[in-house]
């Protein structure tokens, strides 16, 4: 169930409170992905992000990194649904930085503005999913919720089409989007053609059986 983002005030914890929460968090960790508190009060840890992408992503080879225009080294493909990635981040990293780091880790060439990070949590025996704002801090949310992903998990999705700030994209990026849409349209058209060709074949076979019984 998708819901609007709740207005949750960010509680500023003292260094001692953070230390206590991290100790409690680490004592409950079962996958060795513990948090570490540094002397300056900043803590680091891990979050897992599930990929729920409906549209294809563009991945570039290491040789073509930094280039904006599509090239032979860029490939658009659908990411398997439910793929989970682990990131090591700090308490200062924002949602926007987490998205950028996740895309960079896998050489995704698409503009980070296409994507949004959601939190999925259990409440009153129901599962709720809501979009996080760019300035929120995922590791803080992870610390407060504890290490159990059943209580809180993170999901990467595309923005809804109406939410995308298209003017923020470069011309090559927009051209790449059109190329992907053209491919999707052609793929769907071919599926429809194959489906109706199969229907036609079955109808013609049935018609021949009626006209030529026995």
């Amino acid at each position: 169930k998708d819901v609007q983002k709740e207005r949750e005030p960010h509680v500023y914890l003292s260094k001692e409170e953070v230390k206590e929460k991290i100790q409690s968090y680490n004592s409950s960790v079962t996958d060795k992905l513990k948090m570490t508190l540094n002397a300056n009060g900043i803590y680091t840890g891990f979050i897992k992000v599930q990929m729920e992408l409906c549209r294809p992503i563009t991945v570039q080879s290491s040789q073509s990194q930094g280039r904006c225009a599509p090239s032979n080294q860029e490939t658009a493909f659908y990411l398997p649904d439910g793929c989970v990635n682990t990131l090591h981040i700090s308490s200062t990293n924002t949602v926007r930085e987490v998205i950028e780091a996740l895309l960079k880790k896998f050489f995704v060439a698409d503009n980070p503005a296409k994507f949004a990070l959601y939190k999925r949590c259990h409440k009153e025996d129901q599962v709720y999913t809501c979009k996080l704002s760019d300035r929120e801090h995922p590791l803080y949310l992870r610390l407060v919720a504890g290490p159990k992903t059943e209580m809180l998990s993170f999901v990467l999705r595309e923005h809804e089409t109406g939410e995308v700030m298209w003017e923020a994209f470069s011309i090559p990026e927009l051209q790449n989007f059109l190329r992907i849409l053209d491919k999707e349209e052609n793929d769907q058209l071919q599926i429809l053609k194959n489906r109706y060709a199969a229907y036609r074949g079955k109808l013609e076979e049935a018609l021949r059986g009626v006209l030529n019984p026995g």
Side-chain angles (χ1 to χ4, degrees):
K1 179 180 179 182
D2 287 358
V3 297
Q4 292 293 324
K5 179 69 181 70
E6 307 155 356
R7 292 194 174 187
E8 300 172 354
H10 185 101
V11 179
Y12 291 93
L13 305 173
S14 66
K15 187 175 180 179
E16 191 59 37
E17 289 173 325
V18 169
K19 182 179 179 180
E20 291 176 1
K21 280 191 172 293
I22 290 177
Q23 289 175 343
S24 175
Y25 182 97
N26 289 342
S27 66
S28 303
V29 166
T30 58
D31 54 10
K32 298 182 180 181
L33 300 181
K34 297 185 177 183
M35 293 195 188
T36 302
L37 178 62
N38 300 315
N40 58 6
I42 296 174
Y43 51 96
T44 59
F46 299 85
I47 62 169
K48 295 180 180 180
V49 181
Q50 183 171 340
M51 316 291 275
E52 291 186 355
L53 304 180
C54 300
R55 296 187 285 273
I57 58 173
T58 304
V59 176
Q60 58 184 195
S61 66
S62 57
Q63 288 82 6
S64 62
Q65 288 180 47
R67 298 173 60 179
C68 294
S71 68
N72 293 332
Q73 286 75 41
E74 292 185 353
T75 305
F77 69 95
Y78 286 91
L79 197 66
D81 190 32
C83 176
V84 177
N85 292 289
T86 302
L87 285 179
H88 185 247
I89 62 174
S90 81
S91 55
T92 62
N93 289 133
T94 63
V95 164
R96 179 51 48 190
E97 290 171 335
V98 166
I99 293 174
E100 291 173 353
L102 188 61
L103 299 181
K104 184 177 180 180
K105 180 178 180 181
F106 296 97
F107 306 128
V108 177
D110 299 274
N111 194 311
K114 286 177 57 180
F115 304 92
L117 191 67
Y118 290 73
K119 75 170 185 177
R120 181 174 291 155
C121 54
H122 289 251
K123 188 176 181 181
E124 298 176 356
D125 297 326
Q126 293 193 55
V127 179
Y128 293 89
T129 302
C130 53
K131 185 169 66 174
L132 298 172
S133 68
D134 286 348
R135 295 183 179 180
E136 291 190 77
H137 298 85
L139 195 61
Y140 168 80
L141 298 176
R142 179 79 278 161
L143 176 63
V144 172
K148 294 183 178 179
T149 54
E150 296 82 11
M151 299 303 297
L152 173 73
S153 59
F154 297 104
V155 180
L156 185 72
R157 293 179 179 175
E158 298 97 342
H159 276 297
E160 295 297 328
T161 304
E163 298 176 337
V164 178
M165 301 294 290
W166 296 109
E167 61 271 20
F169 293 89
S170 66
I171 296 298
E173 287 172 327
L174 293 173
Q175 291 173 335
N176 194 38
F177 295 159
L178 289 175
R179 180 170 59 86
I180 292 172
L181 289 174
D182 287 340
K183 182 179 182 302
E184 288 183 330
E185 183 179 6
N186 291 333
D187 290 345
Q188 291 300 317
L189 184 60
Q190 189 59 49
I191 290 172
L192 287 174
K193 286 182 177 180
N194 292 341
R195 182 183 301 170
Y196 282 101
Y199 288 161
R200 178 185 291 275
K202 290 180 180 179
L203 286 172
E204 290 176 345
E205 182 179 347
L207 201 57
R208 285 193 296 269
V210 172
L211 296 177
N212 304 295

